[in-house]
Amino acid sequence: MYDNFGQFIDGKWSRGNGKEPVRVTDPGNGQLLGTIPAASAEDTLAALASAERSLEGWKNTQAWLRADLLQAVAREMVAATANAALTISKESGKPVAQARREWELSIDQFVWYAEEARRIYGRVVESRVPGGRCEVTHEAVGVVAAFTAWNFPVVLVARKLAPALAAGCTVVLRPSNEVPGSAMLIFECLRKAGLPAGVANLVVGPTADTYEPLISSPVVKKVSLTGSTQLGQQMIRDSAATIKRLSMELGGNAPVIVFDDADLEKALDLSVATKFANCGQVCVTADRFYVHESLYEAFVEGFANRTNKIKVGYGQEEGTGMGPLINPRRLQAIEAIVADARDKGAKVVTGGHRLDINGGYFYAPTVLANVPDDALAIAEENFGPIAAITSFTDHEDLWARVNNSSFALSAYAFTRDPARIREAVAKLESGMVGINSYALAAAEVPFGGIKASGMGREGGSEGIHDYMNVKLAQIVV
């Protein structure tokens, strides 16, 4: 499966020189998908040197030409869709239909930022100095080190590569060792599209060899991470010595408020589909549901009924609605969260146990009711197929409960009252808010959180500016 790929350095595929190969497992059956010769520290430094050499030429390439190359990448990706969807499904476990949709969203990133490359606007500000003019311009920040998680193995890569390349940066990307082949498919599309050698590089291997050389190097001017809050905190500390610019999309624990005037059927249909997509391993997924007491029983019953209709199985099987967790560690973590909820008095309405399917890492889609606020299922990000449902009566008390979290990536509310919509948008402490919708992730809008959920934005016109420095010139003639 990985025979033609490996490390992508200076425009070429090569075998890594690391000591131990990277072993990739299919979470749907626990079987080995393949091995990849890992990068050594020397390989990572070679990738970094390649990115440094190519920076001057790439950042001075006309924006229109950079845009043309990104459009060519998008066309190569379109042609690779069927194979990519299968690879993503095998590596991550998600159903093929969800994998295909992820690849299509990744294509959107390259198309959008091809257009944004042509819209890197500065501005002229009236000067106080006689005969003067103030010019504000934007320049590529330089060499970027990018690190991505396993839950969305291609769209997270695209969210970093596309804006960085559009801005004129060069990149060394380190994908998760759980899903490296999916990232490699994007790099093969970069190669086929004719991206100049060294502009984008990929290394796969152990942390000591693929993280330390990048994070400690003064050559790297910016770091972009999608990962856990704990990893983000460590990366901030590690970057301090060289004062790198940082963009971080970290953990989430999204609240969902269902008010008494909500369209109940719509809220249920959207919530169940969203909660169990990718087996709940989504940073912006609906985690904790606060339902008005007048709708509470109907909501719990409707949620459980819909959940019981989901077909759990291997990602490539017809009709599969939910696949496995990514590895045995996630299985153990989900079991611990459900056990904690039980111990604290929550009711398991449906699910709450492992599933024995093909030796894979499967857990039944689970609905918990009467969950107290101090249970792990509500207090922390569960990152799995657990819907934790509780009720509320008083609106003022509600806001304090909902915002009592260090995570603030996404939040949602269902209501038909215009005044309540504005109240929810204003009072929810979150980088993103969905009202009667969970559709927050798109190439054309900014994606990101506040508080412990990170800093910076990916997507939208804001995304490209995270890869650019602002320069002021006061010109007097």
Side-chain angles (χ1 to χ4, degrees):
M1 184 171 176
Y2 308 104
D3 292 345
N4 298 323
F5 296 146
Q7 316 300 324
F8 191 77
I9 300 172
D10 202 23
K12 302 183 293 293
W13 292 108
S14 62
R15 294 174 61 87
N17 295 297
K19 295 179 181 179
E20 297 291 334
V22 175
R23 296 170 60 85
V24 185
T25 300
D26 184 337
N29 56 27
Q31 300 299 309
L32 183 70
L33 277 173
T35 61
I36 302 162
S40 64
E42 291 72 23
D43 293 325
T44 302
L45 290 172
L48 183 57
S50 177
E52 184 180 21
R53 284 194 305 271
S54 63
L55 176 62
E56 194 68 20
W58 181 246
K59 75 176 184 180
N60 290 316
T61 298
Q62 287 183 329
W64 288 79
L65 295 178
R66 295 201 302 269
D68 289 344
L69 272 166
L70 292 181
Q71 290 283 9
V73 173
R75 290 193 293 272
E76 292 291 344
M77 291 179 70
V78 170
T81 297
N83 179 52
L86 188 60
T87 298
I88 296 165
S89 179
K90 286 182 177 180
E91 286 194 329
S92 70
K94 65 183 62 176
V96 170
Q98 294 177 26
R100 184 184 183 93
R101 179 59 179 154
E102 182 185 346
W103 185 256
E104 291 168 348
L105 290 172
S106 302
I107 296 170
D108 286 350
Q109 294 287 330
F110 284 93
V111 172
W112 173 261
Y113 282 108
E115 297 165 353
E116 284 297 293
R118 303 184 179 106
R119 294 193 289 263
I120 302 174
Y121 302 139
R123 70 183 193 275
V124 175
V125 181
E126 195 68 27
S127 175
R128 299 186 184 196
V129 180
R133 183 174 73 170
C134 296
E135 295 181 354
V136 181
T137 57
H138 302 275
E139 298 178 347
V141 69
V143 177
V144 174
F147 302 87
T148 57
W150 46 261
N151 58 325
F152 284 93
V154 291
V155 79
L156 299 180
V157 171
R159 279 184 185 166
K160 300 182 189 311
L161 283 179
L165 298 178
C169 297
T170 57
V171 183
V172 179
L173 182 129
R174 196 273 195 187
S176 166
N177 285 345
E178 306 268 13
V179 288
S182 300
M184 292 172 189
L185 292 176
I186 292 184
F187 274 79
E188 178 65 2
C189 291
L190 295 175
R191 187 191 69 80
K192 287 183 175 180
L195 190 74
V199 171
N201 305 269
L202 176 143
V203 291
V204 179
T207 300
D209 293 332
T210 57
Y211 171 81
E212 298 293 345
L214 296 175
I215 208 71
S216 63
S217 172
V219 172
V220 173
K221 302 302 182 186
K222 175 182 171 61
V223 172
S224 180
L225 165 70
T226 300
S228 69
T229 296
Q230 292 75 19
L231 178 57
Q233 291 168 329
Q234 183 63 50
M235 196 170 282
I236 291 169
R237 291 189 289 267
D238 293 342
S239 299
T242 49
I243 312 181
K244 303 182 191 303
R245 286 185 61 180
L246 301 171
S247 295
M248 295 189 171
E249 194 260 285
L250 307 177
N253 185 16
V256 182
I257 304 170
V258 181
F259 287 100
D260 53 357
D261 68 325
D263 182 333
L264 181 61
E265 295 304 309
K266 178 179 181 180
L268 285 167
D269 288 342
L270 293 178
S271 295
V272 173
T274 300
K275 173 66 257 185
F276 299 115
N278 199 22
C279 200
Q281 300 168 123
V282 182
C283 55
V284 293
T285 195
D287 272 340
R288 45 194 176 111
F289 295 84
Y290 300 81
V291 183
H292 190 270
E293 61 180 2
S294 64
L295 298 179
Y296 184 73
E297 291 186 7
F299 187 86
V300 171
E301 181 181 359
F303 209 108
N305 289 340
R306 287 165 172 79
T307 298
N308 288 332
K309 295 177 182 177
I310 296 172
K311 178 184 176 182
V312 181
Y314 196 58
Q316 288 91 68
E317 291 180 357
E318 187 71 25
T320 295
M322 192 184 90
L325 291 157
I326 190 66
N327 56 42
R329 297 187 302 278
R330 291 306 311 152
L331 266 177
Q332 295 166 4
I334 295 303
E335 285 182 321
I337 292 169
V338 172
D340 172 80
R342 281 193 175 107
D343 291 344
K344 290 186 168 73
K347 176 185 177 183
V348 177
V349 183
T350 190
H353 54 85
R354 293 193 186 198
L355 295 174
D356 184 10
I357 304 174
N358 299 329
Y361 313 132
F362 292 92
Y363 196 88
T366 299
V367 178
L368 304 177
N370 304 326
V371 186
D373 287 359
D374 64 344
L376 295 177
I378 281 185
E380 297 183 7
E381 180 180 34
N382 67 64
F383 220 62
I386 301 173
I389 309 175
T390 186
S391 63
F392 73 92
T393 303
D394 180 77
H395 287 188
E396 288 307 314
D397 176 62
L398 168 70
W399 300 119
R401 293 173 65 196
V402 167
N403 290 326
N404 184 28
S405 174
S406 60
F407 297 107
L409 181 59
S410 60
Y412 309 93
F414 286 84
T415 177
R416 288 181 276 201
D417 183 340
R420 192 171 283 160
I421 287 173
R422 300 316 313 170
E423 180 186 22
V425 171
K427 291 198 172 186
L428 284 167
E429 296 176 1
S430 182
M432 300 177 287
V433 175
I435 304 295
N436 301 319
S437 172
Y438 290 103
L440 296 178
E444 64 271 18
V445 292
F447 185 99
I450 58 175
K451 299 183 355 185
S453 288
M455 63 187 80
R457 292 296 181 268
E458 295 181 326
S461 57
E462 293 83 358
I464 197 169
H465 288 284
D466 269 2
Y467 293 89
M468 306 191 78
N469 290 326
V470 178
K471 177 181 283 185
L472 167 66
Q474 168 77 276
I475 301 171
V476 180
V477 294

